[in-house]
Amino acid sequence: MTKGRLEAFSDAVIAIIITIMVLELRVPHEPTVDALRPLIPNFLSYLLSFAYLGIYWNNHHHLLQAIKHVNGRILWANMHLLFWLSLIPFGTAWMGENSFASWPVALYGMVLLLAATAYFILTRTLITAHGRDSVLAKAVGADFKGRISVVFYVAAIPLAFVAAWIACAIFVLVAVMWLVPDLRIERTLAG
Amino acid sequence: MTKGRLEAFSDAVIAIIITIMVLELRVPHEPTVDALRPLIPNFLSYLLSFAYLGIYWNNHHHLLQAIKHVNGRILWANMHLLFWLSLIPFGTAWMGENSFASWPVALYGMVLLLAATAYFILTRTLITAHGRDSVLAKAVGADFKGRISVVFYVAAIPLAFVAAWIACAIFVLVAVMWLVPDLRIERTLAG
Amino acid sequence: MTKGRLEAFSDAVIAIIITIMVLELRVPHEPTVDALRPLIPNFLSYLLSFAYLGIYWNNHHHLLQAIKHVNGRILWANMHLLFWLSLIPFGTAWMGENSFASWPVALYGMVLLLAATAYFILTRTLITAHGRDSVLAKAVGADFKGRISVVFYVAAIPLAFVAAWIACAIFVLVAVMWLVPDLRIERTLAG
Amino acid sequence: MTKGRLEAFSDAVIAIIITIMVLELRVPHEPTVDALRPLIPNFLSYLLSFAYLGIYWNNHHHLLQAIKHVNGRILWANMHLLFWLSLIPFGTAWMGENSFASWPVALYGMVLLLAATAYFILTRTLITAHGRDSVLAKAVGADFKGRISVVFYVAAIPLAFVAAWIACAIFVLVAVMWLVPDLRIERTLAG
C-alpha cells in the first residue's frame, strides 16, 4: 500500500516534469518555417531531457520493484531526488534558449550531477533498510553505470567552459549508455 | 504490477498533455464577445487535439488490456509514443494562432504521423514480446485503421501547401474514423 | 481494471484542471497590499471554480462507485465531460480578470451548462449500459439536483446581461446546493 | 476503493502543485552567471515550499494509512486542505520575486496558517468518523507538533513587518521540526 503510493506520487511528479518542459517550447508568432528554425536548440534540449527523465522513471521503476517496505527516510530520499529532477525543465529551457552556451550547459550538468547523487543516496537508503543480503542489494550490485555517470558529469561541468559541445556530447553519451535497458534487477529477480 | 505502473504513467502524461493545451487559449483582456472571436481557430484546434488525445488514450487503454508482461523495450516504445504526443500542444497552438496556415498545418500533420508511427512500433514491440499466436496479436490483426491513418497523414502534409483546409478535413476524417470505438480487442477477448 | 483506469485518468485530468487555474492568479510585481487588491475578483473566481471542480470530482466518484463495467460509449461520454470541465480555467480567468463583467459571466454559465449536460449524458450512458433495474439506476433516480442545476444555469446566462451579480449569486447557490454532500448513491448502496 | 481514490486525487493535486511552482523560476535571457543571481531568492523560496509540500504529502500519507472509510465530510475536509495548499505556488512566487519583503512573507505565513488549520480540521473530521478509541485517534494523540506549528505561524505573520528574516527563520524552523519524520502513526500501528 505505502509502496504503491510512493510509486504513484513519483510517477505523477515525473510525468508532470516531463510534460511541462514542452511549455518552454514557445510557439512562434509567424506561420513560416523560418520562425521554427530558432527553436531547434530548444527542441534538442527538450529531446535530451525527455530521454533523461524517461531513464530516471525507468530506473526508479526497476528499483522500487525490488523493495518490500517504505519508511520516513526512504520517503525523503525520494523527495530529494524529485527536487533535483524538478529543476531539469529550468536547466533545459536556459540551455535551449541560449543555444547551448557554456554557463547554461554547466548548470544543466550540475543538475544532472545532483540528481544522480540523489539517486545514489536513494539506492543506499533502500539497501540500508532491506539489508546487504537482500534481493535489492544483489540487484543493485556495484552499480557501475551509476558511478561512471557521476564521473562523466563531473568531467562535463568544467569542459562546458572549454567547449560546450564536448559537455553536450558527454550528456548524450551517458543517456545512450542508460537507454540500453537497465536489466540488472529484472535478471536477479528472474534468476 | 509493472503493467499497472506503465498504464499509470502513460495516463498521467496524456492527462497532462490534454490539459495544458488549454493554457494556450490565451484569455482576452476585454470583456466583449468581439475579443473572443479571434480565439475561434484556437478553440477548433484545441477541440481537434483533445479528440486525438482521447483516441490515443482510448486505444492505448485497449491495447494494454491484452498484454501480460512488460520489458525494457516496451517501456521505451511507450516513451517514444509519449514523446510525439507531448508535441501535440505545440502543434495545436501554432496552428490555432495562425488560423490554420499551411506550415503549421503541415507540422501538425507531421506530429500526428510520427505519433501514429510510434503507436505502430509499440504495437509491434508488444506482439514480438507476446508471440504471433497471442490474444494480443489476434486482436490487433491487420490493423487496417492504423495503416490507413498513416496513409492519410502522409497525404495531408503536402496537401497543406495546396489548400490547408483539405489537410484539416483529412485530420477530422481520421479522428471521426477512430471515434467509432475501437472494439477489435474487446471483441476478441469476449469471443 | 478498466474502471480503475477510467477513474485514474479522470482524477488526473480534474486534478490538473483544478491546479493550473492557480497559474492565472498572476503574481503582482510590487510587494504591497495594494498590489494584491486587484486580484480579489480573480481569487473569488478561482474559489468558485475550485468548489465546482471539487463537486464534479466528488459526484463523479460516487457515480463510478456504482458501475460494474466500462465500454467505448462510456469512455467517450466521460471524455466529453472532461472536455467542458477543461474550459473552466479559461472561463474562470476571463471572469476574474474582468471583475465579473456580463460577457465573461455569461460564458462561464455556458461552460457550466455544457458540463452539466455532459454529466447528464454520462449518467444516461451508464444507466443504459447497466439496465434500468440496476443499483446505479436506482441510486441516480430522478436526479432532481441535476435537473434544477441546468434550469438555474439556463436562467443565469441571460440574467448576466441584466445584472452580472445575479448570475454569480445563482452560481454560488447551485454550488452550495451540491456541497450538501451527494449521499444518494451511498445510501442506496448501504440500504 | 474509495480511500484509494481519495489518496490518488490528493497525490495528483500535491504532485502538480509541487511541480508547477518551478514554472515561476523564470528562465533568464542571458547565458551568464550574473543573470542567474537575481533568481536566488526565488530558488530559496521554491526550496522552502518544496519542503513544506513534501511534509504535507508525507503526513497526509501517514494519516490516511490509519483510516478505514471515507464519507462526504472527509472528502470536503480534504478538498479544503488542497485549496490552501494550491495557493502555496502563488505565495512562493510573490515572496521570491520580492526578495522576502514584509507583505509577501506575511501572506506566505497566512497561507501556511490556513493550510495547517485545514489539516487540523481534516484530522478532527477523520477522528469523528472513526471514534475516539480508534487506532487513528490514538495515533494522532495530542498532536503537539500540529499545535506548536500554528502558534509559530501566528507569531510569524506580525513579525514579518518587524523583520521579515525572523518570520522566514520561523518557517524554516517549523519545516525542520517536521522533517524529523512523523513516525507517530507508524509506531502505534506497529506496536
Side-chain angles (χ1 to χ4, degrees):
Chain A
M1 173 67 71
T2 297
K3 178 183 151 184
R5 219 184 149 184
L6 184 71
E7 286 185 333
F9 187 74
S10 307
D11 279 4
V13 170
I14 298 175
I16 300 158
I17 293 171
I18 218 169
T19 320
I20 62 173
M21 279 196 304
V22 93
L23 292 175
E24 300 289 354
L25 279 182
R26 305 275 176 216
V27 177
H29 289 295
E30 268 117 72
T32 61
V33 77
D34 289 329
L36 222 54
R37 230 165 257 148
L39 289 174
I40 292 171
N42 302 61
F43 178 77
L44 293 176
S45 173
Y46 174 59
L47 179 60
L48 182 64
S49 295
F50 194 96
Y52 265 109
L53 285 162
I55 290 163
Y56 270 105
W57 178 70
N58 203 340
N59 289 349
H60 192 263
H61 175 265
H62 279 92
L63 189 65
L64 290 200
Q65 236 179 317
I67 75 170
K68 303 274 181 224
H69 52 265
V70 171
N71 60 32
R73 257 162 213 268
I74 293 171
L75 286 175
W76 281 104
N78 194 59
M79 284 307 281
H80 179 230
L81 171 62
L82 295 179
F83 179 75
W84 294 115
L85 293 181
S86 81
L87 291 176
I88 286 183
F90 179 85
T92 305
W94 201 34
M95 190 164 77
E97 273 186 35
N98 291 290
S99 305
F100 301 93
S102 295
W103 270 103
V105 169
L107 182 88
Y108 190 82
M110 187 66 83
V111 172
L112 289 182
L113 176 61
L114 289 162
T117 309
Y119 191 82
F120 178 79
I121 294 170
L122 176 61
T123 310
R124 293 301 126 187
T125 310
L126 288 168
I127 290 175
T128 304
H130 288 77
R132 297 197 156 268
D133 302 322
S134 60
V135 173
L136 177 78
K138 282 173 197 157
V140 171
D143 192 18
F144 178 72
K145 278 208 284 187
R147 285 165 198 260
I148 203 86
S149 301
V150 167
V151 171
F152 275 128
Y153 299 145
V154 168
I157 295 166
L159 282 172
F161 298 98
V162 180
W165 71 266
I166 300 177
C168 295
I170 292 174
F171 301 153
V172 172
L173 183 78
V174 174
V176 167
M177 184 180 83
W178 281 103
L179 279 163
V180 177
D182 181 358
L183 295 167
R184 285 170 303 167
I185 293 177
E186 247 173 48
R187 269 184 209 141
T188 312
L189 285 173
Chain B
M1 172 69 72
T2 297
K3 178 182 151 185
R5 220 184 151 185
L6 183 72
E7 285 184 334
F9 187 73
S10 307
D11 280 4
V13 170
I14 297 175
I16 300 158
I17 294 171
I18 218 170
T19 320
I20 62 173
M21 279 196 303
V22 93
L23 292 175
E24 299 288 355
L25 280 182
R26 304 273 176 217
V27 176
H29 290 296
E30 267 117 72
T32 61
V33 77
D34 289 329
L36 222 54
R37 227 165 260 149
L39 288 174
I40 292 173
N42 301 62
F43 178 77
L44 293 176
S45 172
Y46 174 60
L47 179 61
L48 182 64
S49 295
F50 194 96
Y52 265 109
L53 285 162
I55 289 163
Y56 269 105
W57 179 70
N58 203 338
N59 289 349
H60 193 263
H61 175 265
H62 279 92
L63 189 65
L64 290 200
Q65 236 179 317
I67 74 170
K68 303 276 181 220
H69 52 264
V70 171
N71 60 31
R73 256 161 215 268
I74 293 171
L75 286 175
W76 281 105
N78 194 59
M79 284 307 281
H80 178 230
L81 171 62
L82 296 178
F83 179 75
W84 293 115
L85 293 181
S86 82
L87 291 176
I88 287 183
F90 180 84
T92 305
W94 201 35
M95 190 165 76
E97 272 187 36
N98 291 292
S99 305
F100 301 93
S102 296
W103 269 103
V105 169
L107 180 87
Y108 189 81
M110 187 66 83
V111 172
L112 289 182
L113 176 60
L114 289 162
T117 309
Y119 191 82
F120 178 79
I121 293 170
L122 175 61
T123 311
R124 292 302 126 187
T125 310
L126 288 168
I127 290 175
T128 303
H130 288 77
R132 298 200 156 266
D133 301 322
S134 61
V135 172
L136 178 78
K138 282 174 196 157
V140 171
D143 192 17
F144 178 72
K145 279 208 283 189
R147 286 165 197 260
I148 202 86
S149 301
V150 167
V151 171
F152 275 128
Y153 299 145
V154 168
I157 295 166
L159 282 171
F161 297 98
V162 180
W165 71 265
I166 300 177
C168 294
I170 292 173
F171 300 153
V172 172
L173 184 78
V174 174
V176 167
M177 184 180 85
W178 282 102
L179 279 164
V180 177
D182 181 359
L183 297 167
R184 285 170 302 167
I185 293 177
E186 248 174 48
R187 269 185 209 140
T188 313
L189 285 173
Chain C
M1 172 68 73
T2 297
K3 178 183 152 184
R5 220 184 150 184
L6 184 71
E7 286 184 333
F9 186 74
S10 307
D11 279 5
V13 170
I14 297 176
I16 300 158
I17 294 171
I18 218 169
T19 320
I20 61 172
M21 279 196 302
V22 93
L23 293 175
E24 299 289 354
L25 279 182
R26 304 274 176 217
V27 177
H29 289 296
E30 267 116 73
T32 62
V33 77
D34 289 329
L36 222 52
R37 228 166 259 148
L39 288 174
I40 292 172
N42 301 62
F43 177 77
L44 293 176
S45 172
Y46 173 59
L47 179 60
L48 182 65
S49 295
F50 194 96
Y52 265 109
L53 284 162
I55 290 164
Y56 269 105
W57 178 69
N58 203 340
N59 289 348
H60 192 264
H61 175 266
H62 278 92
L63 190 65
L64 290 199
Q65 236 178 318
I67 75 170
K68 302 274 181 222
H69 51 264
V70 171
N71 60 32
R73 256 161 214 267
I74 293 171
L75 286 176
W76 281 104
N78 194 58
M79 284 308 282
H80 179 229
L81 171 62
L82 296 178
F83 179 74
W84 293 115
L85 293 181
S86 82
L87 291 176
I88 286 183
F90 179 85
T92 306
W94 201 35
M95 190 164 76
E97 272 186 35
N98 291 291
S99 305
F100 301 93
S102 295
W103 270 103
V105 170
L107 181 87
Y108 189 81
M110 187 65 84
V111 172
L112 289 182
L113 177 61
L114 289 161
T117 309
Y119 191 81
F120 178 78
I121 293 170
L122 175 61
T123 311
R124 293 302 126 187
T125 309
L126 288 168
I127 291 175
T128 303
H130 288 77
R132 297 197 157 267
D133 302 322
S134 61
V135 173
L136 178 80
K138 282 173 197 158
V140 171
D143 192 18
F144 178 72
K145 278 208 284 187
R147 285 164 199 260
I148 202 84
S149 301
V150 167
V151 171
F152 275 128
Y153 298 144
V154 168
I157 295 166
L159 281 171
F161 297 98
V162 180
W165 71 266
I166 300 177
C168 294
I170 291 174
F171 300 152
V172 173
L173 184 78
V174 174
V176 168
M177 185 180 84
W178 281 102
L179 279 163
V180 177
D182 182 356
L183 296 167
R184 285 171 302 169
I185 293 176
E186 248 174 47
R187 269 185 209 137
T188 313
L189 286 173
Chain D
M1 174 67 73
T2 297
K3 178 183 151 184
R5 219 184 150 184
L6 184 70
E7 287 184 334
F9 186 73
S10 307
D11 280 4
V13 171
I14 297 175
I16 300 158
I17 294 171
I18 219 170
T19 319
I20 62 172
M21 280 197 302
V22 93
L23 292 175
E24 299 289 353
L25 279 182
R26 304 275 175 215
V27 177
H29 290 296
E30 267 117 72
T32 62
V33 77
D34 289 329
L36 222 53
R37 229 166 257 148
L39 288 175
I40 292 172
N42 301 61
F43 177 77
L44 293 176
S45 172
Y46 173 59
L47 179 60
L48 182 64
S49 295
F50 194 96
Y52 265 108
L53 285 162
I55 290 163
Y56 270 105
W57 178 69
N58 203 341
N59 289 349
H60 192 264
H61 174 266
H62 278 92
L63 190 65
L64 291 200
Q65 237 179 318
I67 75 170
K68 302 274 182 221
H69 52 264
V70 171
N71 60 31
R73 258 162 214 267
I74 293 171
L75 286 176
W76 281 104
N78 194 59
M79 284 308 281
H80 178 229
L81 171 63
L82 295 179
F83 178 75
W84 293 115
L85 293 181
S86 81
L87 292 177
I88 286 183
F90 179 84
T92 305
W94 201 35
M95 191 165 78
E97 273 187 35
N98 291 290
S99 306
F100 302 93
S102 295
W103 269 104
V105 170
L107 181 88
Y108 189 81
M110 187 66 83
V111 171
L112 288 182
L113 177 60
L114 290 161
T117 310
Y119 191 82
F120 178 78
I121 293 170
L122 175 61
T123 310
R124 293 301 127 187
T125 309
L126 288 168
I127 290 175
T128 303
H130 288 77
R132 296 195 158 270
D133 301 322
S134 60
V135 172
L136 177 77
K138 282 173 197 158
V140 172
D143 192 18
F144 178 72
K145 278 208 284 187
R147 285 165 198 260
I148 202 85
S149 300
V150 167
V151 171
F152 275 128
Y153 299 144
V154 168
I157 295 166
L159 281 171
F161 298 98
V162 180
W165 72 266
I166 300 177
C168 295
I170 291 173
F171 300 153
V172 173
L173 185 78
V174 174
V176 168
M177 185 180 84
W178 281 103
L179 279 163
V180 178
D182 182 357
L183 297 167
R184 286 169 303 167
I185 293 176
E186 247 174 48
R187 269 185 209 138
T188 312
L189 286 174

